[in-house]
Structures are given as C-alpha cells and as structure tokens.
C-alpha cells in the first residue's frame, strides 16, 4: 500500500469541527492553543461555538481548517505513532496546500496560521465584495474542455477562467461577476448545470493578483524547509520538495488553477498511491478521489474513532 495524505480547502468548515478531537486528545488541544497564540485570536472558541457567519469569513475559515488538519496529523503521530513520513506524498486543495506543508514539517504551525490569516485577508481585499463571482459547473457532460469554452464566452466581457478542476463532472469557474454570469449561460447551453457559489471573492483567477503580491512578500520572509514527504502542487500537479520552488508555487497558486483531478491522477498513475487519507474537516476530497480513481481507497479522518481505525489498518 502506498499512502498519500490529502488536506481539505475552504468550504469544508463547520461549527463544531475539531471539538471531539480536543475533548479526547491533549495533542489536539495543543495545536488549537498554538494557533490561537499565533493569531492573538480565540479561533478555537469560534470553531466550537460559531457563529457560522464569522467562521465562514475567509480570514477565519482558512486558519481554522488548517488547525483541524494539523490536529489530526499531530494526534496520529503522538497518540498512534503514524507520522506524515509514513506517506509517499502529501497534497492539499487550495489552502489545504499550506496544511499539507505544515503537517510535513516544511512550515511551522505558527507561521502557517499567520500566513493563512493574511492570505484570507489579502484575497478579500483584492476584489470588492460583489464585483467577483465563482460558479460550479456540474453534470456528466462537464469536463475541463466544456468549462474552458464557457469561460471563454465569459471572457468576452471580463476576466473569467477555470479556477478548480476538481473531477470529471465538477469544474469551478471564477472571475468578474458579469463575465461569470455570461459563462454560466454558455455552460447551460453546452449541457452543464451551473451553480453560483456563495463566496466572498473570486479565488484562483487573475483578479487575485494583488493578493498574490501580498503573499509573495509574506512568503519571502517565511522559513520554508524541505517537507518530510513531497508535496504534489496545485498549479503543476507534480511533486515538489525544494523550498524555493514551494515558495514560488504558493504565490502562483493564488491566481492559478487548482489542478486537483490531475494531481490525484498523477498520484495514482505515476506515484503509485493506492490509498488516500483526508486529514481534517469533512470528506469532500475523499469523494473526489473516489470519482477520479475508483480503484483507490479514500478514508476521511474526522473523529477520534476514524483516527484509531485508520492507525490500526496500517
């Protein structure tokens, strides 16, 4: 069995996430306290009690999701003796890439929390609320070619690109609101269903360049070392372990496409991965992995029981 740890992105947040881990394991409580201390914020209290509207804010959701992922990783290592170095690779969806790097020891937990807080704020600052939009194109006919054709129609009136290639039947477009509206019309003509997403900014498109510039400055000052397991990067769908290349790709990721379908396909076909373990909140990535690679095993690690069963299965 060849294992890859995968780490979820924005949208997987939920009030109450991580609470059962904190109640069961001191290692999880330590992670949540470290993140609170790094941010000077009672983030775990927000995760535990809400309100959901505050937790969903990008600047809170990003470090909160990372904190849950790192709590899972630390509990696995401290309580069950399963370190990230048991994996052949790590990968994360958008902000999950930071979680993957932190879990693999490439960036400290405190630095990761601060970088994600800034990333959320910078993304929000980049485009005024209401000027950008994202939409999910879904259905059996939906693939990258269809999404690119829809985005090209939108691009006639403004910025519009494919933002997330999640899996066959699930591709996300992003850009200026009028352009995304036009792309939605085109996608429907081409046989896809189109669902506008409830997001505060148009992520992973050229409108995010001001945020990329802010992150370039912040990442230039951050300490990054080689991860304990190679990271399969969002923007290349290929492994990377050299710190300067990781730094460059994290900047590119702000405006670039999340090549998730290609990443999972590479992990299975070239990386030899037969099992995915989703460390963190929810099970969105496990579902995507099963759709991309039906023969691979995909296990969401949410609860203490999930972690115990996973550790015993290795």
């Amino acid at each position: 069995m060849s294992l890859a740890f995968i780490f979820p992105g924005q949208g997987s947040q939920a009030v109450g996430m991580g609470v059962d881990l904190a109640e069961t394991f001191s290692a999880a409580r330590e992670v949540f306290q470290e993140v609170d201390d790094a941010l000077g914020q009672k983030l775990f209290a927000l995760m535990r009690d809400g309100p959901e509207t505050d937790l969903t804010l990008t600047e809170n959701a990003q470090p909160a999701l990372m904190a849950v992922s790192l709590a899972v990783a630390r509990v696995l290592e401290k309580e069950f003796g399963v370190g990230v170095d048991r994996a052949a690779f790590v990968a994360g969806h958008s902000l999950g890439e930071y979680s993957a790097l932190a879990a693999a020891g490439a960036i400290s937990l405190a630095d990761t929390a601060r970088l994600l807080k800034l990333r959320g704020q910078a993304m929000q600052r980049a485009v005024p609320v209401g000027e950008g939009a994202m939409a999910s194109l879904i259905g059996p006919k939906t693939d990258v070619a269809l999404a690119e054709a829809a985005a090209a129609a939108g691009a006639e009136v403004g910025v519009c690109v494919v933002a997330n290639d999640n899996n066959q039947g699930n591709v996300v477009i992003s850009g200026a609101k009028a352009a995304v509206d036009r792309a939605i019309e085109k996608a429907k003509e081409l046989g896809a269903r189109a669902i506008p997403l409830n997001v505060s900014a148009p992520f992973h498109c050229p409108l995010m360049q001001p945020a990329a510039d802010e992150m370039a400055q912040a990442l230039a000052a951050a300490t990054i070392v080689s991860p304990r397991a190679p990271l399969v990067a969002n923007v290349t769908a290929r492994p990377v372990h050299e710190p300067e290349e990781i730094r460059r790709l994290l900047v590119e990721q702000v405006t670039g496409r999340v090549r998730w379908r290609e990443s999972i396909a590479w992990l299975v076909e070239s990386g030899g991965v037969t099992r995915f373990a989703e460390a963190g909140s929810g099970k969105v990535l496990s579902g995507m992995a099963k759709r991309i690679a039906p023969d691979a095993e995909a296990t969401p690690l949410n609860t203490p029981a999930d972690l115990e069963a996973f550790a015993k299965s290795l």
Side-chain angles (χ1 to χ4, degrees):
M1 179 201 75
S2 184
L3 172 69
F5 280 107
I6 53 178
F7 297 83
Q10 208 161 332
S12 290
Q13 69 275 357
V15 172
M17 65 182 186
V19 170
D20 52 355
L21 294 174
E23 289 173 347
T24 310
F25 302 111
S26 61
R29 292 194 293 276
E30 288 165 12
V31 168
F32 297 134
Q33 188 61 55
E34 279 183 58
V35 171
D36 277 5
D37 291 346
L39 298 179
Q41 176 185 2
K42 292 182 177 176
L43 185 63
F44 182 66
L46 175 60
M47 292 156 59
R48 185 185 62 221
D49 304 324
E52 188 177 1
T53 49
D54 289 357
L55 180 61
T56 303
L57 290 172
T58 301
E59 66 174 88
N60 292 327
Q62 295 200 22
L65 284 161
M66 182 276 299
V68 178
S69 288
L70 268 289
V72 168
R74 194 174 289 185
V75 168
L76 278 175
E77 187 155 23
K78 285 198 170 183
E79 302 288 340
F80 299 106
V82 179
V84 167
D85 41 16
R86 292 282 288 274
F89 300 95
V90 295
H93 192 284
S94 191
L95 84 89
E97 201 153 73
Y98 285 79
S99 307
L101 288 165
I107 310 175
S108 75
L109 176 58
D111 279 355
T112 306
R114 287 188 286 261
L115 285 166
L116 284 173
K117 184 78 172 176
L118 173 66
R119 185 176 181 268
Q121 292 170 335
M123 287 176 150
Q124 196 57 71
R125 280 193 289 265
V127 180
V129 174
E131 290 189 12
M134 299 180 76
S136 184
L137 309 184
I138 57 175
K141 290 185 178 179
T142 303
D143 58 12
V144 174
L146 182 150
E148 285 180 340
E156 292 171 10
V157 295
V159 171
C160 189
V161 298
V162 173
N164 302 352
D165 176 12
N166 289 328
N167 56 254
Q168 175 75 22
N170 178 356
V171 185
V172 176
I173 57 173
S174 179
K177 187 172 186 316
V180 170
D181 288 345
R182 171 78 67 87
I184 286 172
E185 291 173 19
K186 182 66 174 178
K188 289 175 179 174
E189 285 174 26
L190 296 171
R193 286 176 58 211
I195 300 171
L197 297 180
N198 183 22
V199 293
S200 56
F203 306 131
H204 299 292
C205 83
L207 295 175
M208 286 287 111
Q209 189 58 49
D213 294 342
E214 283 196 60
M215 291 311 297
Q217 247 185 327
L219 286 160
T223 299
I224 301 178
V225 300
S226 294
R228 285 154 55 195
L231 171 80
V232 174
N234 283 181
V235 296
T236 61
R238 293 294 182 273
V240 55
H241 52 79
E242 201 279 311
E244 290 313 308
E245 191 176 0
I246 289 170
R247 203 185 305 270
R248 178 178 62 79
L249 291 173
L250 286 175
V251 176
E252 286 185 21
Q253 184 231 57
V254 178
T255 56
R257 182 181 302 182
V258 176
R259 298 179 179 273
W260 194 250
R261 177 185 56 81
E262 293 172 67
S263 295
I264 297 296
W266 186 92
L267 282 162
V268 171
E269 293 161 14
S270 300
V273 169
T274 55
R275 187 175 192 184
F276 294 94
E278 181 176 4
S281 178
K283 53 186 180 181
V284 170
L285 298 187
S286 299
M288 288 182 190
K290 290 298 291 180
R291 286 189 284 276
I292 298 162
D295 293 335
E297 192 178 339
T299 307
L301 304 179
N302 297 147
T303 67
D306 292 341
L307 272 60
E308 186 175 0
F310 173 71
K312 284 179 178 172
S313 74
L314 295 177

